[in-house]
Amino acid sequence: MKPLIILTSLLPVLLIPSLASADWLHEEAAIMGTAINVELWHGDVKQGRVLIEAVMDEMRRIDDLMSTYKPDSELSSVNGNAARGPITVDNELLMLIGQALMFSDITHGAFDVTYASAGQYYDYRKGRKPDGKQLADVLPAISYHHVRLDTVQSTIEFLQPDVRIDLGGIAKGYAVDRSIAILQAAGVRNALVSAGGDTRVIGRHWDHPWKVGIRDPRNRDGLVSTIPLEDAAISTSGDYERYFEEDGVRYHHILNPGTGDSSREIHSASIIGNNATDTDALSTSVFVMGVDKGLKLVNSLPDTEAIIIDNRGRMHYSEGLARVTQ
Ligand code: ADP
Ligand code: MG
C-alpha cells in the first residue's frame, strides 16, 4: 500500500515538466449555436491553452455582435431600426454585410441575407413554417437590393419595411477566419479551427495534411469522402443540419430567396477555398443555385472547388477535383 501512496503523491510533480513542453492541444465548445473545435500545435502548452481561450472569446464576441437570437446584439438592433432610416453600425458588421451583398451579386441573388424576412417565420425545432399568406406578404421584402450601405457614413438602411437580415450563411466562416488570424499572429503554424460545417486549417497535422470529412447527408455517422487539406478552408451546407418533415417534405434551414421555401435540388454542397468566409457563403450559395449553375460559378472562381451531393445521392465535382478523382 505504502509505495502506491508515495507514487500518487509524486505524480503532480512528475507531470510538471511535461506541462511546459510542446504538444498538440484540442478544445471543443458550444458557441454560436454550434460546435467549435480548435486543434493546434504549440511549443508551450500553457501558451497554447491561452490562445485557444482567445479563439473561443473571439467566437463569443462575434456571436454577441451578429446573432439574431440575441435581442441586444447589434444585428438585432439593425433589424429593429434600419427600416426607419439610416442607422450607424459598427464597421466590422458593416464590412461583413458588404461582403454578403457582394456574394448576392455574383450569385444573382441565390445568396441573400434578406432571406430572413421569411426565415424568421420558420422554427425547425417546433416544426413551424410560414403559411401561404404570411409567405406571400413577406416575399416582396426578400431582396438584397433593399439593403443600402453607406461605407463613408458607416450606416445601413432598409428600403422596405418588412426586411430582416441574418448572417447565418457567412458569419461562422468569418469567425473561423478571425480565429485563424489570431493564431497566425501569435506564431502558430499548424492548426485547425471549425465552427459547425466551416473549417480552416493552417500547416499540417503531425506530418500529414489535415483531413476533413464530408458527411453522408442521409447517414449521420457515415462519411462520403475525406479531403486532405493544407492552408485551406472547407465549408459544407447540408439539408440535414436543421429541419423537420411534414407530409414527406423536408423543411430545412437553407431557403431559396425567390420562394421563401427550402431549396431541394441538393442534399449537401461542400466548397474548398482559401478562406472560410468565402467557402461559407459559397456553400450556401451553391446549395441554392443547384448543380449546374453552382458548378458553373465555382469553375469560374480561382482556387475554388466543390463537391455536391444531389437529391438522388449522386456526387458532382468541380473541374479541378474532377481531374483528380478520375
Ligand atoms: P450552417 O453551418 O448553419 O448549416 P450554412 O452555411 O449551411 O450554415 O448556411 C445556412 C444558414 O444560412 C441558415 O441557417 C441561414 O441562417 C442562412 N441562409 C439560409 N438561406 C440563405 C440564403 N439563401 N442566403 C443567405 N443565407 C441563407
Ligand atoms: Mg454557408
Side-chain angles (χ1 to χ4, degrees), residues 111 168-170 198 235-237 279-285:
F111 187 87
I170 192 169
D198 304 299
S235 293
T236 298
S237 290
T279 58
D280 189 7
L282 284 171
S283 68
T284 311
S285 303

Side-chain angles (χ1 to χ4, degrees), residues 9 32 41 89 98 100 123 147 154 161 180 192 195 217 270 275 311-313:
S9 64
M32 304 203 289
W41 172 264
V89 283
D123 187 327
V147 180
S154 281
I180 288 286
L192 174 150
S270 300
N275 70 77
N311 60 11
R312 293 208 252 153

Side-chain angles (χ1 to χ4, degrees), residues 32-189:
M32 304 203 289
T34 195
I36 308 295
N37 261 289
V38 184
E39 196 169 345
L40 57 83
W41 172 264
H42 204 288
D44 177 339
V45 165
K46 219 169 140 194
Q47 193 50 35
R49 295 221 175 278
V50 170
L51 283 172
I52 290 180
E53 223 17 73
V55 165
M56 299 301 185
D57 285 347
E58 180 68 357
M59 297 277 184
R60 286 187 202 100
R61 185 188 68 78
I62 292 171
D63 193 36
D64 287 346
L65 186 66
M66 302 185 182
S67 170
T68 50
Y69 294 99
K70 300 191 170 184
D72 52 355
S73 75
E74 185 149 12
L75 188 56
S76 291
S77 135
V78 166
N79 275 330
N81 300 301
R84 287 198 286 269
I87 57 166
T88 309
V89 283
D90 175 274
N91 240 338
E92 190 180 11
L93 183 57
L94 199 78
M95 185 221 64
L96 193 62
I97 296 172
Q99 253 178 297
L101 295 179
M102 187 275 289
F103 280 104
S104 299
D105 269 332
I106 67 166
T107 64
H108 306 291
F111 187 87
D112 190 331
V113 292
T114 68
Y115 87 89
S117 312
Q120 64 176 331
Y121 295 107
Y122 286 87
D123 187 327
Y124 301 99
R125 253 181 246 164
K126 294 188 180 142
R128 211 168 58 208
K129 61 179 168 53
D131 61 36
K133 175 168 174 1
Q134 256 174 338
L135 208 50
D137 286 349
V138 294
L139 264 190
I142 306 182
S143 170
Y144 64 102
H145 296 294
H146 298 325
V147 180
R148 179 173 290 165
L149 293 188
D150 183 333
T151 46
V152 178
Q153 303 291 330
S154 281
T155 60
I156 183 168
E157 180 182 8
F158 296 159
L159 305 179
Q160 215 266 13
D162 300 322
V163 173
R164 294 287 177 281
I165 64 174
D166 190 305
L167 296 172
I170 192 169
K172 285 201 283 286
Y174 172 70
V176 166
D177 282 341
R178 290 279 313 190
S179 301
I180 288 286
I182 287 174
L183 297 179
Q184 282 175 321
V188 173
R189 307 240 296 267

